[in-house]
Amino acid sequence: MKKPNIDQFDKKRRDLIKLISAAGISKGLLRASPLVSAMMYSRMAEAQSSVDKIVTLYIGNGALPEMWHGQPGNLPPFSAPLNEVADNILMVDGVQARNPHVGQNLGHGIIKLLMNKGWGGGESFDVNMGRILGAGKRHAYLIGNIHQNFNNQTNGVSRDSGNDAHTYQNPMTMFEAIFGAGTATPATTNVKKHIVDGHLEAVKALQSKLGQDEKIRLDAHLTAIEEKANQLASDPGTGGGGGSCGSPAALGAFPLNMGTIREQFRAFTDVFALAMKCNLTNSAMLYFGDDNAELSFSGVKVGNDAYNGTMHTAAHDHNNGRKSNSCCDQYPQWLAQRSEATKLQAYMIKKFRDEGLLSSTIVAQVSDAGNGDAHDAARVPIVIAGGGVGNRRSINASGANSHDVWHSLAVKLGANESGRYQGFSNKTIF
Amino acid sequence: MKQIFKISALSLGITFTGATAAADLCNVTYQAQSNWGSGAQLQVTVVNNGSSINNPTLSWSYSGSESLVSFWNASSVTQSGKIFTVIENGSVSTGGSFDFNIIINNPGAAPSDFLLNGVSCKTPVGTGSVASSSVQTASSIKSSVSSSKSSTPNSSSSAGTTNTAAWILDDSTSMLNMVTVKKEHVAEIGGFSQLKGSVDKNGLATLQVDLNSVDTLNATRDSRIREFLFETSLLPHLYYSVQLNLAEINAMQAGSTSIQTLNGSLILHGVNTTTPAQVLITKLNNGKISVTSLKPVLISAPLFDLKWGIEYIRSLVSPIPSSIGHTVPIYFNLNFAANSNPAVAALNIPSIPTTPVNLNATNNSGGMVTLTWADVSNNETGFIVRRKDNTGYWSKIQNLSSNQIMLEDLLSNTGTYDYKVIALNGSVPSSPTPIVTVIVDNITIDPVITGKTHYQAMCTGCHGADAKGLGGAFPALNVKREGALRESMINTIVATMPKGAAGTCDRECAETIVAYLDATFWQEPTPVYNEEISCTAPVNYGARQLRFLTREEYQNSINSLLGSGFIVDSLPGDSMLGHFISNTQRVMNSGAYEQYLLTSEKIAKWSADRNFSGVVNCNNNFNQDCANKLINEFAPRIFRRSLDNQEKLTYTSMANGSKTNGDVKAGMQLALEAMLAAPQFLYRHEVGERNPANTALASDAYQLTAYEMATWLAYTYTNTTPDAQLLSKAASGALVQENEITTEITRLMQSTAFKEKLGTFVNSWLATDSLNNVAKDPGTYPTLDFNALIPHMQQELAVFFSDLMLDPNGKFETLYNADYTYVNGPLAQHYGINGVSGNQFVRVATTNRGGILANGGFMSRWADAIEPSPIRRAVRVRGRMLCQDVQDPPANVGIGREQLLEIHKQELANPMTTNKRRFELVTSLESCKTCHEYIINPLGFGLEDFDSVGNPRTIDTKGNAVNASGTLYAPQAWSNNFASTAYSFVGAKELGDTMATLPTAQRCLPQNLFRYTTGIGVEDGWQQHGDYVLVDEAEIKAYACDVQDLKHTMMEQSPRKMLEQLGVLDTVRYRKAWARPTNM
């Protein structure tokens, strides 16, 4: 008599037994309690579903800690706009804006040390997660920046194999680059290969002429061409560039200036969500301003008076002798400007929630300072949403630093087990 | 490793002499690296297939009129008539090689034969002996000689006989793997891909493993294994040699096997020890054998001094694994093929050097141990000194060059230390010296010694070994400081140094550095500050580089090439270099490449839709002639030079329709699309070529070609691609001559584009190009539409600056002390200047404004919404106008600020508190004084006479009288005593008068102009550039000297003359491949 196919059932049985043993539940209890056994099945099912995507949001210059940190649902003024997504967030207090590898606190001019282990080389957190989680995806990562003035940085912040990672300053261009014009066909794709071949030839000819320095840059150029060549070889074009989504409707165009930073933020958020939904990427990063927080929201009022100074100016304004009928006598301008950014942060979380992505995606907001007015590194505003982490909680991770946050995220995503993981830290805080 | 450039022989007109038959006496490769018609640079490589020879002589004869110009990598090269003779130092074994380079004039046909020590290379091996030249003891092996050259081969062969290989390793089918274990249970497999090996005719089997080829499927781990475990930069090879029974192997039948236990010599990481291996030898057939490990060969880390490396790597992993195994099993399968070519030599291992003797360790005070030994070897390439501390691990503390006999080791902990010294010949070690032991029970940290170590490690690069600075941007530290200034220096080091890695030196470190400076440099009388640097190099060399077009350059190029009408809006963003947009160091990545492709696709389609109007005139007849026109006439304009044959082929094959089903128009569109995203278009080439005719240039220098000069001049002076005249002069070669370059500069400086470029420069320099970053409070300025005013303020600066710079009679001082400005109607109304209306800018005389400092745009930019910002203004005056960078406030510097605000809450809220007083209060924390007490506040307070929207004032927004008394401390360099060098002033105009006289201000303008136009600069000696930092002092000095030249020209002649000089600077015309270390 043939044996039934026991292997399939046997594996599930073995997995369950392992889970039970790990939970410390005795066989006796398991036999006695259907509730316990049902719970164990449920836990195992939950463990099978994966959190494999991350969106990282940078908003510079911190916040006023005593007016930021609190319990979701009852948050103080600086973070109050997040109350509408209270069920989905974890508020993290106690983290110091510090890079432990270099041994330096963060702040103006030091944004690179937030995202990277050091000043040079390696991969930034967002790129590293993208390369690990999204290996094989059409876009290993997506990075957008809004009004990055690179005040003290001569090049980009995010790094890919030691070089600047590609960053989009225009969400429309990002959309177009991801989803294309929907005109790619096998015929046009075949013709594009000749272009790429010609470029490959030219870069190699240049390499033979140059010394080691430019060779490194040309190697990167070669890599970019080769990646395109591989993409053309593997994807003949189907008339739509959007992966599993075909050709979604294009974004509406709008000018890029200080007056449209809200639209830019929402546009980037929408593109990120769409790209993840279409399985095109697993990591997205948005730099909202630079490390001097030179962003200014239009239409902001303090009391009855319009206030349109930048977030940086607002942080140092100390009310300038003006009266205010809101809280925070010292910082009403900062509250007014910073809250606008927090509203956008809430939009991002809601977007991912409404698109059904929040259970598999972590949306992490970080900063490079605690109290931005005091240039203080303590108590950075950090909010983690989704991915099973954000669930109407707050924690105090006293003694932790910025890179412990990265590591904690990496562990949640399972990325720390990869040989490619940069090893931002070895401490988890949530 | 040197590279051999293979260039098509046909294109150079030089016959390429390939390798002669392997059985000939010598194989000579004679290759042209470049040929410029009247001369050529050649690389000649000689492989000796005969017996080992000392100091070989190679000679040949030309049939033409070649003449020797120069040579390198040879002991001597002489010419007698048509005969060239080259002598090399050292010995060359059988199978070994040597190479050298020469430059000749009038290159013609390659020689038909070469003589090695007087014997023709074509002589079959064994038919004649090579006459040896007189024996000289080679004191060292030249680094340019290939690695197969060695002193005494390990397997000694008598003079005149060849150590022929009986079997040669087939590295394509062989493998050598290792298994490492971490966390007790996690096993990982790695391998080595670069293997060499042989068995000689006497049965000596030799295996060489290139340890750099380690591959554990983890790039980070591989890199650490190379650097920390094997230390491959010093010890790149593993060797295993063992005597086999060759007769037995030869007698084996095909298909049979033999088990042998080998006891061979294993050389790894500076240790040579006998290591057993049990192997299975399989005779696959009469020409192939396989040697496979039956049992793994166990490599014990302690035995090979590898424990330290393993533990160090373990400490780097995150999370730190509980353990990494110290014993590594090695598995291998090596396949050998029988060798029938008697000229193919067996692999030689460099000979073992003699062990040093008389190692002695002296325990000096303060933890300094002095080691001495006697060098009794004559073939060492260096020494390695290892130390074992209380961890029990041996680690390298220093590797030394040959002939060294002493080392000082400064210890920081008490304990017992063992030392040994090993001589090295490449990766082959001597036996170690007997171990000497030192017990250190008293460590006295001598701050001066410790400070010296720190200074040399972290400060020398910017401040000089003599603490005299490197001119201008790198201040001298050799001026005595006492009291508060000494404390301020310590605080500055802790908070901000070294640049780019602030936080590396804590207070203890900083105190020792200051102690060292005090003891070493501050005992002399204070030197007088001298802005001038000594420039004695005959030529200042810039860097060979490729610069991505900026977005503006790309757009302008498209306008110039294809006509206006297409707005380029999908290019990757630009990078910044200091204050300026510059893509000099931008690196291509996939996303950017995608955007370039997208952009070129759109442009090509747009042009095709217009029937290529303005590109080629084919009367809409898109045939082969039209396609050829595109490539022959238009493509050179895109690439900014003539196309080479391969490029013509590539792009013609697109344009002629062969890739687009015969559709020529579609083909032309495809070619255009390809060219507009090609590196030839995207990069501005500043690469250069050798010019041996210019004997003033160093042998490793390059000169920009005429086409490259055309490109440089075009983008620098007109911000777009070269026009027809420039291209024509490039084609004729004229643009390598200084007078021709100057003529073109004069022409281009008359263009509107150059004026606009000067406007872009000044607005970038002062950051007034981002005036839209600053908002103004409508409550305070209810009738002001500041956004509408911004372009006018920017244009005011642009017109003022370009007018001054281009004025043949212009003076630098006017930049700061002008008594006029330019306004149009809207600006005049804002400034309260009567008599100006409309949009045209006109010059108006002023008393309370003028120049770039007392300027509406500058003052508005560095102000807050309601009141000015003295801090921002002061920081920008210092940073942008005096080139004295002020660091951002470090984190935690404001701790206590909230309490401070609480304490002063009432005074801050009092409307009678002035802006100046407010800033005094909020920066009064002790931790803030380092920067605010002298450097920032006194300067900024003197600029309170301009409000936040760029107008002079005497009353502030709350009705208080403005006090604009200020002091500019240390205007020359931080090293000056702040209190003794100070300029008092009242208001922006008075400060401008002072600025006009300052050498730092005079240097700062050309320094910024230099950086703007060249894409690199003096400042970049310390600033992070992507992932490297310029460290070559000679390069930084070259830029500093050219900047100094520009300053002299500006001050002694005019700013206009300085602009004319830009294009003929040494650093523009002459380049080197400066080293760029990665910063990992």
Side-chain angles (χ1 to χ4, degrees):
Chain A
M1 183 169 76
K2 268 190 175 178
K3 284 185 183 174
N5 184 2
I6 63 172
D7 287 345
Q8 174 193 355
F9 301 106
D10 213 35
K11 182 179 186 315
K12 284 189 178 171
R13 182 181 68 85
R14 290 195 301 272
D15 287 344
L16 181 59
I17 289 171
K18 274 190 209 167
L19 189 61
I20 290 167
S21 304
I25 296 175
S26 70
K27 286 183 189 172
L29 177 58
L30 197 58
R31 276 198 290 268
S33 171
L35 179 62
V36 169
S37 54
M39 278 170 57
M40 297 313 297
Y41 270 111
S42 172
R43 270 187 62 184
M44 189 174 78
E46 187 183 38
Q48 305 275 329
S49 68
S50 60
V51 178
D52 63 352
K53 294 181 282 292
I54 179 158
V55 180
T56 314
L57 170 63
Y58 163 82
I59 302 176
N61 212 34
L64 190 60
E66 55 267 37
M67 291 297 166
W68 172 272
H69 294 289
Q71 182 63 25
N74 192 24
L75 291 168
F78 268 68
S79 57
L82 292 173
N83 280 328
E84 60 175 323
V85 288
D87 286 343
N88 306 115
I89 62 174
L90 167 71
M91 300 291 287
V92 182
D93 194 354
V95 175
Q96 186 172 16
R98 182 173 178 79
N99 179 311
H101 311 282
V102 175
Q104 183 166 354
N105 287 334
L106 307 179
H108 296 320
I110 314 180
I111 187 177
K112 270 190 183 173
L113 293 186
L114 168 65
M115 299 304 298
N116 302 279
K117 286 175 70 176
W119 285 105
E123 293 177 351
S124 54
F125 172 76
D126 53 322
V127 170
N128 194 218
M129 291 301 104
R131 289 281 182 201
I132 294 171
L133 303 171
K137 291 286 168 66
R138 185 180 297 177
H139 300 277
Y141 51 85
L142 294 171
I143 304 171
N145 80 55
I146 298 173
H147 218 75
Q148 270 254 332
N149 204 21
F150 294 120
N151 194 30
N152 288 302
Q153 314 294 327
T154 57
N155 290 301
V157 180
S158 287
R159 279 206 300 270
D160 187 354
S161 299
N163 297 315
D164 291 345
H166 185 63
T167 304
Y168 291 92
Q169 296 170 326
N170 183 337
M172 283 79 80
T173 305
M174 178 188 272
F175 180 93
E176 199 173 17
I178 298 171
F179 298 103
T183 57
T185 65
T188 58
T189 299
N190 196 43
V191 159
K192 298 293 185 192
K193 289 176 188 172
H194 299 297
I195 294 177
V196 169
D197 287 345
H199 294 165
L200 205 60
E201 193 176 86
V203 173
K204 286 181 177 173
L206 268 177
Q207 276 194 319
S208 70
K209 288 187 193 174
L210 286 162
Q212 191 62 33
D213 174 45
E214 297 302 77
K215 267 203 151 188
I216 294 171
R217 292 177 67 215
L218 289 173
D219 276 345
H221 199 148
L222 263 183
T223 302
I225 298 173
E226 284 163 359
E227 286 182 1
K228 181 65 181 175
N230 292 339
Q231 186 218 324
L232 289 172
S234 62
D235 180 2
T238 58
S244 57
C245 297
S247 294
L251 289 182
F254 55 89
L256 302 182
N257 54 47
M258 192 71 86
T260 63
I261 56 175
R262 292 182 181 90
E263 287 91 327
Q264 293 173 52
F265 187 105
R266 292 192 197 102
F268 272 120
T269 300
D270 293 350
V271 175
F272 289 162
L274 189 56
M276 288 186 174
K277 201 169 181 184
C278 298
N279 210 27
L280 292 169
T281 191
N282 285 55
S283 174
M285 171 84 212
L286 182 60
Y287 290 98
F288 194 45
D290 62 11
D291 56 357
N292 268 278
E294 293 282 350
L295 281 177
S296 171
F297 289 94
S298 57
V300 167
K301 286 192 174 179
V302 174
N304 297 322
D305 302 322
Y307 181 83
N308 51 9
T310 65
M311 285 204 286
H312 186 191
T313 308
H316 293 314
D317 219 329
H318 316 135
N319 205 16
N320 204 21
R322 296 154 59 87
K323 289 187 181 172
S324 166
N325 57 7
S326 68
C327 79
C328 328
D329 283 344
Q330 289 292 339
Y331 296 103
Q333 293 82 8
W334 194 11
L335 169 63
Q337 282 287 333
R338 185 61 176 83
S339 300
E340 293 297 311
T342 313
K343 289 176 190 171
L344 292 170
Q345 182 180 348
Y347 171 87
M348 180 179 275
I349 297 170
K350 276 190 296 185
K351 179 71 180 181
F352 275 77
R353 184 187 65 193
D354 295 345
E355 293 292 336
L357 291 166
L358 205 54
S359 57
S360 60
T361 309
I362 294 177
V363 179
Q365 173 264 314
V366 296
S367 187
D368 58 352
N371 182 333
D373 175 43
H375 300 108
D376 185 357
R379 304 183 72 193
V380 185
I382 294 174
V383 180
I384 311 297
V389 179
N391 50 8
R392 210 182 182 96
R393 292 189 297 144
S394 65
I395 61 171
N396 190 333
S398 178
N401 62 63
S402 306
H403 284 236
D404 294 333
V405 176
W406 296 143
H407 182 67
S408 304
L409 293 168
V411 170
K412 287 295 175 195
L413 294 160
N416 63 311
E417 290 297 327
S418 166
R420 191 174 186 136
Y421 179 54
Q422 294 281 283
F424 291 93
S425 159
N426 56 9
K427 177 178 173 179
T428 54
I429 56 178
F430 52 76
Chain B
M1 183 192 291
K2 285 195 308 185
Q3 293 168 316
I4 295 175
F5 300 101
K6 290 199 176 175
I7 301 171
S8 166
L10 289 176
S11 69
L12 294 174
I14 290 184
T15 306
F16 179 90
T17 303
T20 51
D24 290 348
L25 179 66
C26 41
N27 302 11
V28 178
T29 308
Y30 176 95
Q31 288 179 313
Q33 293 178 300
S34 66
N35 181 316
W36 50 92
S38 60
Q41 177 178 316
L42 310 169
Q43 174 154 354
V44 182
T45 305
V46 183
V47 176
N48 172 31
N49 299 318
S51 54
S52 179
I53 48 177
N54 292 322
N55 305 320
T57 300
L58 185 79
S59 57
W60 65 91
S61 176
Y62 286 113
S63 56
S65 58
E66 289 82 350
S67 62
L68 178 67
V69 176
S70 63
F71 69 91
W72 57 98
N73 290 333
S75 177
S76 73
V77 178
T78 55
Q79 178 179 5
S80 174
K82 293 180 186 298
I83 299 173
F84 277 58
T85 303
V86 177
I87 300 176
E88 280 281 351
N89 258 350
S91 63
V92 184
S93 62
T94 306
S97 69
F98 61 93
D99 56 61
F100 57 88
N101 301 81
I102 59 172
I103 292 180
I104 58 174
N105 283 333
N106 309 316
S112 57
D113 194 11
F114 294 85
L115 304 178
L116 182 62
N117 283 3
V119 179
S120 168
C121 276
K122 294 179 181 173
T123 306
V125 171
T127 60
S129 61
V130 176
S132 299
S133 50
S134 61
V135 174
Q136 295 178 18
T137 303
S139 59
S140 65
I141 305 295
K142 282 211 303 293
S143 60
S144 63
V145 177
S146 64
S147 58
S148 60
K149 178 176 177 179
S150 62
S151 50
T152 309
N154 219 22
S155 57
S156 60
S157 56
S158 54
T161 59
T162 303
N163 187 18
T164 306
W167 300 87
I168 294 289
L169 183 78
D170 179 358
D171 65 325
S172 64
T173 59
S174 299
M175 60 179 174
L176 189 143
N177 294 322
M178 63 182 179
V179 179
T180 56
V181 178
K182 68 181 184 186
K183 302 182 195 174
E184 288 96 27
H185 305 298
V186 179
E188 292 164 317
I189 298 176
F192 298 88
S193 57
Q194 299 295 317
L195 309 173
K196 283 186 181 175
S198 65
V199 181
D200 74 8
K201 60 180 192 276
N202 299 317
L204 180 66
T206 306
L207 175 69
Q208 173 186 292
V209 179
D210 182 350
L211 297 170
N212 282 305
S213 67
V214 63
D215 182 4
T216 63
L217 301 180
N218 181 320
T220 303
R221 181 165 54 207
D222 292 343
S223 164
R224 289 170 180 167
I225 288 174
R226 287 184 205 109
E227 183 177 356
F228 302 117
L229 183 64
F230 294 135
E231 301 181 276
T232 57
S233 59
L234 178 66
L235 303 163
H237 291 130
L238 173 155
Y239 294 108
Y240 189 74
S241 57
V242 65
Q243 187 65 47
L244 299 177
N245 187 334
L246 198 59
E248 181 182 321
I249 293 172
N250 290 337
M252 288 169 70
Q253 296 294 315
S256 65
T257 61
S258 167
I259 295 175
Q260 294 193 17
T261 299
L262 312 176
N263 276 302
S265 161
L266 176 62
I267 295 174
L268 172 63
H269 195 238
V271 176
N272 185 348
T273 185
T274 302
T275 302
Q278 190 173 46
V279 299
L280 175 71
I281 300 176
T282 306
K283 191 85 169 274
L284 301 172
N285 57 47
N286 285 333
K288 287 187 181 174
I289 58 172
S290 166
V291 181
T292 309
S293 52
L294 267 183
K295 292 180 182 175
V297 175
L298 298 179
I299 303 296
S300 165
L303 189 60
F304 292 95
D305 291 348
L306 292 169
K307 274 174 71 175
W308 181 89
I310 289 175
E311 291 304 311
Y312 184 73
I313 290 175
R314 186 168 79 89
S315 73
L316 296 177
V317 180
S318 178
I320 298 178
S322 55
S323 67
I324 295 179
H326 286 185
T327 301
V328 175
I330 303 289
Y331 301 83
F332 53 86
N333 171 241
L334 307 173
N335 294 311
F336 292 84
N339 173 50
S340 59
N341 184 345
V344 176
L347 184 67
N348 278 331
I349 298 177
S351 56
I352 298 172
T354 310
T355 305
V357 298
N358 302 333
L359 176 63
N360 183 56
T362 305
N363 184 6
N364 306 307
S365 64
M368 178 71 80
V369 173
T370 303
L371 300 168
T372 58
W373 60 90
D375 169 18
V376 294
S377 56
N378 64 357
N379 64 339
E380 85 280 4
T381 54
F383 296 93
I384 186 168
V385 180
R386 287 182 173 160
R387 180 185 70 203
K388 184 168 72 172
D389 56 19
N390 59 0
T391 62
Y393 308 146
W394 284 102
S395 63
K396 175 194 79 178
I397 57 171
Q398 191 70 34
N399 59 287
L400 305 169
S401 58
S402 58
N403 304 322
Q404 299 299 312
I405 57 172
M406 191 191 85
L407 176 70
E408 285 185 331
D409 185 21
L410 179 62
L411 299 167
S412 53
N413 294 306
T414 57
T416 301
Y417 297 88
D418 293 339
Y419 292 91
K420 61 184 177 183
V421 179
I422 301 167
L424 296 173
N425 183 1
S427 295
V428 176
S430 68
S431 303
T433 60
I435 295 169
V436 296
T437 302
V438 173
I439 299 173
V440 177
D441 54 16
N442 180 26
I443 297 280
T444 307
I445 305 261
D446 182 333
V448 176
I449 295 177
T450 308
K452 178 181 179 181
T453 306
H454 289 319
Y455 184 86
Q456 287 173 339
M458 292 187 281
C459 314
T460 306
C462 294
H463 298 285
D466 54 7
K468 287 183 179 176
L470 292 179
F474 306 98
L477 302 179
N478 58 353
V479 177
K480 191 176 183 63
R481 296 152 195 260
E482 293 174 310
L485 290 175
R486 185 188 179 109
E487 181 65 20
S488 174
M489 185 180 197
I490 293 171
N491 289 335
T492 300
I493 293 172
V494 173
T496 67
M497 293 292 153
K499 274 196 172 165
T504 306
C505 183
D506 61 15
R507 184 165 181 96
E508 186 178 332
C509 163
E511 286 177 348
T512 62
I513 289 176
V514 172
Y516 165 69
L517 290 171
D518 191 342
T520 313
F521 303 109
W522 294 358
Q523 303 308 312
E524 299 297 319
T526 302
V528 176
Y529 176 77
N530 186 0
E531 167 74 16
E532 294 284 304
I533 57 174
S534 168
C535 294
T536 55
V539 180
N540 298 317
Y541 295 101
R544 300 182 87 196
Q545 57 190 16
L546 299 167
R547 301 167 68 173
F548 268 107
L549 295 178
T550 64
R551 289 198 284 191
E552 187 177 49
E553 289 170 347
Y554 190 107
Q555 174 74 72
N556 290 344
S557 301
I558 295 301
N559 293 347
S560 299
L561 291 167
L562 284 81
S564 302
F566 186 90
I567 306 299
V568 178
D569 62 0
S570 49
L571 286 178
D574 290 323
S575 295
M576 295 289 290
L577 178 66
H579 312 314
F580 309 111
I581 287 176
S582 171
N583 290 336
T584 306
Q585 299 304 329
R586 231 261 299 286
V587 178
M588 183 69 92
N589 53 50
S590 301
Y593 185 54
E594 193 70 52
Q595 285 189 253
Y596 282 119
L597 289 175
L598 198 64
T599 301
S600 67
E601 178 185 333
K602 289 180 184 177
I603 296 172
K605 182 178 185 310
W606 171 79
S607 185
D609 288 347
R610 297 162 72 237
N611 292 322
F612 303 109
S613 166
V615 174
V616 283
N617 184 6
C618 301
N619 295 318
N620 294 343
N621 195 359
F622 300 108
N623 54 20
Q624 295 303 316
D625 283 344
C626 191
N628 291 337
K629 258 191 176 180
L630 179 73
I631 302 305
N632 295 332
E633 295 174 15
F634 190 71
R637 292 182 57 203
I638 298 179
F639 285 1
R640 303 183 287 270
R641 57 165 173 77
S642 49
L643 275 62
D644 63 33
N645 289 338
Q646 184 58 49
E647 288 166 336
K648 282 185 190 170
L649 191 62
T650 299
Y651 291 104
T652 301
S653 70
M654 289 186 205
N656 65 11
S658 60
K659 314 289 186 200
T660 47
N661 297 321
D663 182 341
V664 175
K665 187 178 182 188
M668 289 171 64
Q669 180 180 339
L670 179 69
L672 189 59
E673 180 181 338
M675 288 189 284
L676 291 176
Q680 298 94 320
F681 175 66
L682 296 179
Y683 288 120
R684 290 170 49 178
H685 290 216
E686 297 175 12
V687 171
E689 288 180 354
R690 305 276 196 195
N691 183 8
N694 187 341
T695 54
L697 299 182
S699 60
D700 59 343
Y702 296 80
Q703 179 171 353
L704 288 199
T705 66
Y707 279 112
E708 287 173 327
M709 276 309 305
T711 297
W712 196 94
L713 293 173
Y715 283 106
T716 300
Y717 290 98
T718 64
N719 216 21
T720 189
T721 196
D723 61 14
Q725 182 162 333
L726 274 175
L727 286 175
S728 169
K729 286 203 171 183
S732 70
L735 284 179
V736 295
Q737 298 163 30
E738 187 167 325
N739 60 323
E740 292 284 354
I741 295 172
T742 303
T743 302
E744 283 304 298
I745 290 173
T746 305
R747 177 176 74 89
L748 298 172
M749 279 176 63
Q750 295 171 27
S751 66
T752 306
F754 185 55
K755 282 188 188 167
E756 289 172 358
K757 183 115 187 193
L758 290 173
T760 302
F761 166 79
V762 70
N763 278 297
S764 300
W765 180 29
L766 304 178
T768 43
D769 57 355
S770 52
L771 258 171
N772 56 356
N773 274 8
V774 293
K776 302 302 172 186
D777 178 45
T780 307
Y781 307 102
T783 61
L784 176 65
D785 182 355
F786 186 72
N787 284 341
L789 215 50
I790 288 173
H792 303 308
M793 287 183 164
Q794 293 167 339
Q795 188 64 6
E796 175 193 2
L797 269 169
V799 172
F800 169 79
F801 185 77
S802 59
D803 178 71
L804 172 61
M805 290 289 118
L806 292 171
D807 181 358
N809 300 314
K811 296 287 176 204
F812 166 79
E813 302 85 272
T814 311
L815 196 66
Y816 288 101
N817 67 9
D819 55 4
Y820 64 92
T821 191
Y822 288 84
V823 292
N824 63 0
L827 204 55
Q829 185 183 4
H830 176 64
Y831 289 164
I833 294 173
N834 296 322
V836 179
S837 61
N839 286 326
Q840 193 75 15
F841 274 80
V842 296
R843 176 167 162 162
V844 294
T846 58
T847 55
N848 58 5
R849 63 171 73 241
I852 61 171
L853 175 62
N855 169 272
F858 179 80
M859 290 299 183
S860 299
R861 178 63 180 91
W862 304 112
D864 294 329
I866 297 172
E867 283 281 347
S869 173
I871 294 176
R872 289 167 174 234
R873 286 177 177 174
V875 167
R876 271 71 196 186
V877 168
R878 285 212 185 264
R880 292 179 187 252
M881 297 178 178
L882 297 176
C883 289
Q884 292 179 332
D885 270 343
V886 181
Q887 290 297 298
D888 283 302
N892 293 352
V893 73
I895 287 179
R897 180 186 290 235
E898 285 186 59
Q899 293 85 333
L900 191 72
L901 294 179
E902 189 57 34
I903 291 168
H904 298 291
K905 184 176 175 178
Q906 280 190 331
E907 187 175 0
L908 285 168
N910 186 340
M912 294 180 66
T913 300
T914 63
N915 197 43
K916 173 181 173 179
R917 178 58 185 160
R918 183 165 80 90
F919 276 98
E920 275 177 346
L921 289 172
V922 299
T923 58
S924 59
L925 288 173
E926 205 54 42
S927 57
C928 300
K929 285 183 178 175
T930 303
C931 296
H932 284 273
E933 187 174 13
Y934 288 104
I935 297 173
I936 298 177
N937 287 11
L939 172 57
F941 292 155
L943 300 174
E944 280 289 287
D945 64 329
F946 265 79
D947 66 18
S948 74
V949 292
N951 279 324
R953 66 176 187 173
T954 55
I955 306 289
D956 70 14
T957 56
K958 297 172 201 162
N960 302 302
V962 165
N963 176 358
S965 302
T967 308
L968 172 61
Y969 287 104
Q972 311 288 43
W974 301 134
S975 57
N976 276 8
N977 183 309
F978 288 129
S980 67
T981 309
Y983 294 89
S984 297
F985 63 94
V986 178
K989 282 290 282 175
E990 276 194 28
L991 178 61
D993 291 338
T994 299
M995 298 278 287
T997 67
L998 295 175
T1000 34
Q1002 293 162 6
R1003 187 222 336 127
C1004 196
L1005 169 59
Q1007 185 167 311
N1008 275 283
L1009 259 175
F1010 181 88
R1011 200 179 194 195
Y1012 178 62
T1013 52
T1014 65
I1016 203 163
V1018 175
E1019 302 86 337
D1020 301 309
W1022 54 263
Q1023 190 153 2
Q1024 293 284 338
H1025 252 316
D1027 65 347
Y1028 70 84
V1029 175
L1030 304 179
V1031 293
D1032 197 316
E1033 283 190 30
E1035 182 182 1
I1036 301 169
K1037 188 77 177 288
Y1039 301 143
C1041 286
D1042 264 7
V1043 166
Q1044 184 163 271
D1045 263 350
L1046 288 172
K1047 185 188 90 169
H1048 290 160
T1049 302
M1050 180 183 73
M1051 297 306 296
E1052 293 162 14
Q1053 299 183 60
S1054 67
R1056 183 188 174 98
K1057 284 293 182 190
M1058 173 184 66
L1059 296 177
E1060 291 172 5
Q1061 189 185 358
L1062 282 170
V1064 293
L1065 288 174
D1066 279 355
T1067 47
V1068 168
R1069 298 177 66 199
Y1070 309 116
R1071 309 293 178 110
K1072 281 191 178 183
W1074 292 107
R1076 294 281 189 273
T1078 55
N1079 183 23
M1080 299 296 293

